[in-house]
Amino acid sequence: MLLLGIDLGTSSIKVSVLDSETRRCITSAQYPEIESEIIALQPGWAEQPPEMWWEHVQQAILICNAKKLYDPQDIGAIGVAYQMHGLVVVDKDQNVLRNSIIWCDSRAVEIGNRAFDAIGGEKCLSEMLNSPGNFTASKLAWVKENEPDIYQNIDKVMLPGDFIAMKLTGEITTSISALSEGVFWNFKKDEISGEVMTQYGFEKEVIPEVRDVFSEHGKLKTKIASLLGLSPGILVTYKAGDQPNNALSLNVLKPGEVAATAGTSGVIYGVTDQLTYDKQSRINTFAHVNYTTRQKHLGVLLCINGTGILNRWVKNTFAAGTSYDQMNADAARVKAGSNGMRVIPFGNGAERMLNNKTVGAHIHNLDLNVHKPADIFRAVQEGIAFSFRYGLDIMRKNGMNPTVIRAGKNNMFSSEVFTEAFVNACGVPVELYENDGSVGAAIGAGIGIGEMTLENAFSNVKALRLIEPQIKREYDEIYREWKRLLETHLK
């Protein structure tokens, strides 16, 4: 059987076709080739049109089919991974009512803060394991307060992956994992949070039917199957947020195992079996893909909004027409410390690990007689690595102490400079793997349809290499200076 995996990213859609027997990825496609736009109608806002995602999903699937490396009729199950925390709302006819308010949008921060105080901080943290913050529930509350005409027409509330599954199947479902990432879930009671629903005045009917992550989420509609060259009735058997899915694809499933990624945003994601939370909600706890009411596996997530998006901005601003590989090579010729330049990378909305402050991005110690573009390239990558160290120290204070971190050799981890800075700043070895979110979604589909199990899905996966700290002391000194600069922006 062949498996189709869809990864709905912020920048693009990635699709892969996997052979379930050999675990071999037959082909992949990404669409569009240029990065998708984020609409910012006001500072701190971030939106994307869900129908754009759907168009891009179709194009990516058709590109894969056009390579004629497989028979599309042999695809037997579909899995979907997606950018987390976004809000998609549709009416009773499944028409999208507004652009999606995506993960890095900050408009609902104050609404979430008011809810945190009204419900009670201790209750929020001990039962939902998070502050409502600017997560999906608070974004929906913003729509209710500011766009009442839209709100009254809402039939169902979805995460981005739920929307793609709806377009494929016509069915709308959700999962405990998805509800937890929207802060709709009460972990102590193992049910939808009555406190959040009451506080925000939401009707229970807006929540879709809850199903397991690995289960049937609908059958491919005949019309869509014909459009995409697939067999009607194919099951969508897996849906998960991009970070739980990244952890799945790296075989991070047991308590104590930790994954990292550095794409548009940066994440460290560790698995625990404890109902743990940060008292300031700077890191967040959600239900992992293998969470059940009997075996409570949770993902503790550190998210940094301003990571790869800053690297992209630097490329577009200082190195238009230059490849990332060339930027990385230029940065590698600069010594650690970037000739004194320091970069604070937080320029993509409110940062949860900074108590939801919008700090902005900053370049410090710029010397017009010394610094060249290569210094900026390196300083940006070091600044992003230092932001990971800052967040990891918060995780350590909350009991997450990784001895090794697994990451895919992609995005910023494809840069030797960034990987070296990350390993030495954090003081933790990193195992690099061939890793891809769309392949992870395809594996999830295989588990969901019973073609493989969580126990055997990764039996043949081996690390490409292990990178261990080599010059940690030097990076510690640079990090301390970087941290002092950050703290001037936090006052």
Side-chain angles (χ1 to χ4, degrees), residues 129-157:
L129 308 184
N130 300 289
S131 164
N134 62 329
F135 293 112
T136 313
S138 300
K139 290 167 182 167
L140 179 61
W142 184 93
V143 173
K144 185 171 184 281
E145 284 189 19
N146 294 275
E147 298 173 343
D149 292 343
I150 289 174
Y151 182 82
Q152 69 181 6
N153 287 312
I154 294 174
D155 179 61
K156 288 290 181 285
V157 173

mmCIF file of all heavy atoms in Angstrom, residues 129-157:
data_model
loop_
_atom_site.group_PDB
_atom_site.id
_atom_site.type_symbol
_atom_site.label_atom_id
_atom_site.label_comp_id
_atom_site.label_asym_id
_atom_site.label_seq_id
_atom_site.Cartn_x
_atom_site.Cartn_y
_atom_site.Cartn_z
ATOM 1 N N LEU A 129 -3.225 23.043 31.829
ATOM 2 C CA LEU A 129 -1.764 23.013 31.742
ATOM 3 C C LEU A 129 -1.190 24.216 31.006
ATOM 4 O O LEU A 129 0.002 24.248 30.702
ATOM 5 C CB LEU A 129 -1.271 21.714 31.080
ATOM 6 C CG LEU A 129 -1.801 20.405 31.683
ATOM 7 C CD1 LEU A 129 -1.158 19.207 30.994
ATOM 8 C CD2 LEU A 129 -1.561 20.352 33.185
ATOM 9 N N ASN A 130 -2.011 25.209 30.734
ATOM 10 C CA ASN A 130 -1.591 26.401 29.999
ATOM 11 C C ASN A 130 -2.482 27.576 30.371
ATOM 12 O O ASN A 130 -3.623 27.400 30.806
ATOM 13 C CB ASN A 130 -1.737 26.189 28.477
ATOM 14 C CG ASN A 130 -0.915 25.041 27.950
ATOM 15 O OD1 ASN A 130 0.292 25.107 27.889
ATOM 16 N ND2 ASN A 130 -1.590 23.949 27.574
ATOM 17 N N SER A 131 -1.958 28.766 30.127
ATOM 18 C CA SER A 131 -2.804 29.948 30.095
ATOM 19 C C SER A 131 -3.506 29.990 28.742
ATOM 20 O O SER A 131 -2.928 29.561 27.734
ATOM 21 C CB SER A 131 -1.952 31.209 30.267
ATOM 22 O OG SER A 131 -2.680 32.365 29.874
ATOM 23 N N PRO A 132 -4.750 30.500 28.661
ATOM 24 C CA PRO A 132 -5.400 30.621 27.353
ATOM 25 C C PRO A 132 -4.601 31.440 26.354
ATOM 26 O O PRO A 132 -4.708 31.232 25.144
ATOM 27 C CB PRO A 132 -6.734 31.291 27.680
ATOM 28 C CG PRO A 132 -7.009 30.910 29.101
ATOM 29 C CD PRO A 132 -5.652 30.888 29.756
ATOM 30 N N GLY A 133 -3.773 32.376 26.864
ATOM 31 C CA GLY A 133 -2.840 33.127 26.019
ATOM 32 C C GLY A 133 -3.454 33.580 24.713
ATOM 33 O O GLY A 133 -4.597 34.044 24.662
ATOM 34 N N ASN A 134 -2.675 33.430 23.627
ATOM 35 C CA ASN A 134 -3.200 33.770 22.302
ATOM 36 C C ASN A 134 -3.426 32.498 21.484
ATOM 37 O O ASN A 134 -3.261 32.490 20.270
ATOM 38 C CB ASN A 134 -2.245 34.727 21.571
ATOM 39 C CG ASN A 134 -0.878 34.127 21.323
ATOM 40 O OD1 ASN A 134 -0.417 33.302 22.105
ATOM 41 N ND2 ASN A 134 -0.219 34.538 20.263
ATOM 42 N N PHE A 135 -3.828 31.433 22.178
ATOM 43 C CA PHE A 135 -4.104 30.172 21.504
ATOM 44 C C PHE A 135 -5.470 30.221 20.817
ATOM 45 O O PHE A 135 -6.181 31.221 20.859
ATOM 46 C CB PHE A 135 -3.996 29.010 22.488
ATOM 47 C CG PHE A 135 -2.598 28.782 22.987
ATOM 48 C CD1 PHE A 135 -2.254 29.027 24.313
ATOM 49 C CD2 PHE A 135 -1.608 28.344 22.127
ATOM 50 C CE1 PHE A 135 -0.962 28.830 24.774
ATOM 51 C CE2 PHE A 135 -0.305 28.134 22.571
ATOM 52 C CZ PHE A 135 0.017 28.387 23.894
ATOM 53 N N THR A 136 -5.863 29.107 20.210
ATOM 54 C CA THR A 136 -7.028 29.098 19.324
ATOM 55 C C THR A 136 -8.307 29.549 20.023
ATOM 56 O O THR A 136 -9.111 30.298 19.447
ATOM 57 C CB THR A 136 -7.218 27.694 18.731
ATOM 58 O OG1 THR A 136 -5.961 27.214 18.252
ATOM 59 C CG2 THR A 136 -8.215 27.719 17.586
ATOM 60 N N ALA A 137 -8.529 29.111 21.258
ATOM 61 C CA ALA A 137 -9.747 29.505 21.964
ATOM 62 C C ALA A 137 -9.816 31.020 22.124
ATOM 63 O O ALA A 137 -10.880 31.635 21.937
ATOM 64 C CB ALA A 137 -9.809 28.821 23.329
ATOM 65 N N SER A 138 -8.689 31.640 22.451
ATOM 66 C CA SER A 138 -8.670 33.093 22.623
ATOM 67 C C SER A 138 -8.848 33.813 21.287
ATOM 68 O O SER A 138 -9.460 34.885 21.225
ATOM 69 C CB SER A 138 -7.368 33.531 23.290
ATOM 70 O OG SER A 138 -7.234 32.933 24.569
ATOM 71 N N LYS A 139 -8.328 33.228 20.209
ATOM 72 C CA LYS A 139 -8.534 33.815 18.880
ATOM 73 C C LYS A 139 -10.007 33.789 18.505
ATOM 74 O O LYS A 139 -10.539 34.743 17.916
ATOM 75 C CB LYS A 139 -7.686 33.067 17.850
ATOM 76 C CG LYS A 139 -6.200 33.323 18.005
ATOM 77 C CD LYS A 139 -5.346 32.349 17.197
ATOM 78 C CE LYS A 139 -3.863 32.636 17.425
ATOM 79 N NZ LYS A 139 -2.990 31.580 16.934
ATOM 80 N N LEU A 140 -10.680 32.687 18.848
ATOM 81 C CA LEU A 140 -12.117 32.616 18.602
ATOM 82 C C LEU A 140 -12.854 33.662 19.433
ATOM 83 O O LEU A 140 -13.814 34.297 18.952
ATOM 84 C CB LEU A 140 -12.624 31.209 18.930
ATOM 85 C CG LEU A 140 -14.121 30.974 18.742
ATOM 86 C CD1 LEU A 140 -14.536 31.204 17.289
ATOM 87 C CD2 LEU A 140 -14.502 29.566 19.196
ATOM 88 N N ALA A 141 -12.417 33.864 20.671
ATOM 89 C CA ALA A 141 -13.028 34.898 21.519
ATOM 90 C C ALA A 141 -12.827 36.283 20.908
ATOM 91 O O ALA A 141 -13.711 37.152 20.996
ATOM 92 C CB ALA A 141 -12.431 34.835 22.924
ATOM 93 N N TRP A 142 -11.670 36.503 20.276
ATOM 94 C CA TRP A 142 -11.436 37.790 19.601
ATOM 95 C C TRP A 142 -12.451 37.980 18.479
ATOM 96 O O TRP A 142 -13.013 39.081 18.319
ATOM 97 C CB TRP A 142 -10.018 37.850 19.044
ATOM 98 C CG TRP A 142 -9.694 39.187 18.432
ATOM 99 C CD1 TRP A 142 -9.108 40.251 19.047
ATOM 100 C CD2 TRP A 142 -9.966 39.593 17.088
ATOM 101 N NE1 TRP A 142 -9.000 41.309 18.171
ATOM 102 C CE2 TRP A 142 -9.515 40.934 16.964
ATOM 103 C CE3 TRP A 142 -10.543 38.974 15.991
ATOM 104 C CZ2 TRP A 142 -9.635 41.648 15.772
ATOM 105 C CZ3 TRP A 142 -10.677 39.689 14.800
ATOM 106 C CH2 TRP A 142 -10.224 41.014 14.692
ATOM 107 N N VAL A 143 -12.702 36.942 17.707
ATOM 108 C CA VAL A 143 -13.703 37.037 16.636
ATOM 109 C C VAL A 143 -15.073 37.342 17.241
ATOM 110 O O VAL A 143 -15.815 38.190 16.738
ATOM 111 C CB VAL A 143 -13.749 35.733 15.807
ATOM 112 C CG1 VAL A 143 -14.903 35.762 14.807
ATOM 113 C CG2 VAL A 143 -12.429 35.520 15.069
ATOM 114 N N LYS A 144 -15.400 36.683 18.327
ATOM 115 C CA LYS A 144 -16.700 36.900 18.990
ATOM 116 C C LYS A 144 -16.851 38.353 19.437
ATOM 117 O O LYS A 144 -17.919 38.962 19.285
ATOM 118 C CB LYS A 144 -16.824 35.951 20.179
ATOM 119 C CG LYS A 144 -18.158 35.969 20.909
ATOM 120 C CD LYS A 144 -18.212 34.829 21.917
ATOM 121 C CE LYS A 144 -19.559 34.745 22.604
ATOM 122 N NZ LYS A 144 -19.702 35.749 23.677
ATOM 123 N N GLU A 145 -15.772 38.933 19.970
ATOM 124 C CA GLU A 145 -15.824 40.309 20.459
ATOM 125 C C GLU A 145 -15.805 41.339 19.338
ATOM 126 O O GLU A 145 -16.479 42.373 19.424
ATOM 127 C CB GLU A 145 -14.629 40.588 21.392
ATOM 128 C CG GLU A 145 -14.750 40.002 22.770
ATOM 129 C CD GLU A 145 -13.646 40.490 23.690
ATOM 130 O OE1 GLU A 145 -13.008 41.533 23.388
ATOM 131 O OE2 GLU A 145 -13.400 39.838 24.724
ATOM 132 N N ASN A 146 -15.044 41.078 18.295
ATOM 133 C CA ASN A 146 -14.765 42.103 17.292
ATOM 134 C C ASN A 146 -15.462 41.892 15.958
ATOM 135 O O ASN A 146 -15.553 42.834 15.160
ATOM 136 C CB ASN A 146 -13.250 42.172 17.049
ATOM 137 C CG ASN A 146 -12.498 42.656 18.263
ATOM 138 O OD1 ASN A 146 -12.363 43.856 18.495
ATOM 139 N ND2 ASN A 146 -12.010 41.725 19.070
ATOM 140 N N GLU A 147 -15.918 40.677 15.690
ATOM 141 C CA GLU A 147 -16.580 40.383 14.421
ATOM 142 C C GLU A 147 -17.844 39.560 14.695
ATOM 143 O O GLU A 147 -17.975 38.415 14.273
ATOM 144 C CB GLU A 147 -15.629 39.614 13.492
ATOM 145 C CG GLU A 147 -14.374 40.409 13.131
ATOM 146 C CD GLU A 147 -13.339 39.618 12.344
ATOM 147 O OE1 GLU A 147 -13.413 38.357 12.343
ATOM 148 O OE2 GLU A 147 -12.459 40.242 11.733
ATOM 149 N N PRO A 148 -18.803 40.148 15.432
ATOM 150 C CA PRO A 148 -19.992 39.381 15.848
ATOM 151 C C PRO A 148 -20.807 38.838 14.679
ATOM 152 O O PRO A 148 -21.427 37.770 14.801
ATOM 153 C CB PRO A 148 -20.793 40.387 16.684
ATOM 154 C CG PRO A 148 -20.273 41.742 16.283
ATOM 155 C CD PRO A 148 -18.844 41.529 15.938
ATOM 156 N N ASP A 149 -20.820 39.543 13.547
ATOM 157 C CA ASP A 149 -21.576 39.052 12.393
ATOM 158 C C ASP A 149 -20.974 37.758 11.852
ATOM 159 O O ASP A 149 -21.704 36.866 11.403
ATOM 160 C CB ASP A 149 -21.605 40.109 11.278
ATOM 161 C CG ASP A 149 -22.426 41.330 11.669
ATOM 162 O OD1 ASP A 149 -23.218 41.225 12.629
ATOM 163 O OD2 ASP A 149 -22.286 42.379 11.025
ATOM 164 N N ILE A 150 -19.657 37.685 11.886
ATOM 165 C CA ILE A 150 -18.992 36.446 11.470
ATOM 166 C C ILE A 150 -19.237 35.356 12.511
ATOM 167 O O ILE A 150 -19.590 34.216 12.176
ATOM 168 C CB ILE A 150 -17.484 36.677 11.260
ATOM 169 C CG1 ILE A 150 -17.256 37.526 10.005
ATOM 170 C CG2 ILE A 150 -16.729 35.345 11.146
ATOM 171 C CD1 ILE A 150 -15.817 37.925 9.777
ATOM 172 N N TYR A 151 -19.071 35.710 13.776
ATOM 173 C CA TYR A 151 -19.194 34.716 14.844
ATOM 174 C C TYR A 151 -20.559 34.031 14.831
ATOM 175 O O TYR A 151 -20.648 32.812 15.002
ATOM 176 C CB TYR A 151 -18.946 35.347 16.213
ATOM 177 C CG TYR A 151 -19.018 34.346 17.339
ATOM 178 C CD1 TYR A 151 -17.929 33.544 17.651
ATOM 179 C CD2 TYR A 151 -20.206 34.165 18.061
ATOM 180 C CE1 TYR A 151 -18.002 32.592 18.661
ATOM 181 C CE2 TYR A 151 -20.283 33.217 19.074
ATOM 182 C CZ TYR A 151 -19.179 32.435 19.367
ATOM 183 O OH TYR A 151 -19.268 31.487 20.359
ATOM 184 N N GLN A 152 -21.621 34.792 14.607
ATOM 185 C CA GLN A 152 -22.955 34.194 14.681
ATOM 186 C C GLN A 152 -23.235 33.209 13.550
ATOM 187 O O GLN A 152 -24.166 32.402 13.634
ATOM 188 C CB GLN A 152 -24.024 35.279 14.696
ATOM 189 C CG GLN A 152 -24.174 36.054 13.394
ATOM 190 C CD GLN A 152 -25.242 37.132 13.486
ATOM 191 O OE1 GLN A 152 -25.800 37.383 14.565
ATOM 192 N NE2 GLN A 152 -25.533 37.780 12.369
ATOM 193 N N ASN A 153 -22.396 33.250 12.503
ATOM 194 C CA ASN A 153 -22.564 32.314 11.391
ATOM 195 C C ASN A 153 -21.652 31.094 11.493
ATOM 196 O O ASN A 153 -21.663 30.232 10.602
ATOM 197 C CB ASN A 153 -22.308 33.021 10.063
ATOM 198 C CG ASN A 153 -23.440 33.974 9.692
ATOM 199 O OD1 ASN A 153 -24.609 33.596 9.764
ATOM 200 N ND2 ASN A 153 -23.102 35.192 9.320
ATOM 201 N N ILE A 154 -20.854 31.010 12.574
ATOM 202 C CA ILE A 154 -19.924 29.886 12.715
ATOM 203 C C ILE A 154 -20.684 28.612 13.063
ATOM 204 O O ILE A 154 -21.468 28.575 14.015
ATOM 205 C CB ILE A 154 -18.870 30.181 13.796
ATOM 206 C CG1 ILE A 154 -17.963 31.345 13.367
ATOM 207 C CG2 ILE A 154 -18.018 28.931 14.070
ATOM 208 C CD1 ILE A 154 -16.990 31.795 14.448
ATOM 209 N N ASP A 155 -20.418 27.571 12.277
ATOM 210 C CA ASP A 155 -20.950 26.251 12.595
ATOM 211 C C ASP A 155 -19.911 25.411 13.313
ATOM 212 O O ASP A 155 -20.209 24.767 14.320
ATOM 213 C CB ASP A 155 -21.408 25.545 11.322
ATOM 214 C CG ASP A 155 -21.961 24.153 11.598
ATOM 215 O OD1 ASP A 155 -22.958 24.058 12.332
ATOM 216 O OD2 ASP A 155 -21.382 23.164 11.088
ATOM 217 N N LYS A 156 -18.661 25.425 12.790
ATOM 218 C CA LYS A 156 -17.600 24.632 13.405
ATOM 219 C C LYS A 156 -16.294 25.416 13.427
ATOM 220 O O LYS A 156 -15.995 26.210 12.525
ATOM 221 C CB LYS A 156 -17.378 23.320 12.637
ATOM 222 C CG LYS A 156 -18.500 22.300 12.822
ATOM 223 C CD LYS A 156 -18.526 21.723 14.231
ATOM 224 C CE LYS A 156 -19.631 20.669 14.409
ATOM 225 N NZ LYS A 156 -20.970 21.278 14.506
ATOM 226 N N VAL A 157 -15.525 25.160 14.493
ATOM 227 C CA VAL A 157 -14.194 25.733 14.686
ATOM 228 C C VAL A 157 -13.173 24.640 14.425
ATOM 229 O O VAL A 157 -13.333 23.516 14.914
ATOM 230 C CB VAL A 157 -14.046 26.261 16.127
ATOM 231 C CG1 VAL A 157 -12.615 26.697 16.404
ATOM 232 C CG2 VAL A 157 -15.014 27.398 16.376
#
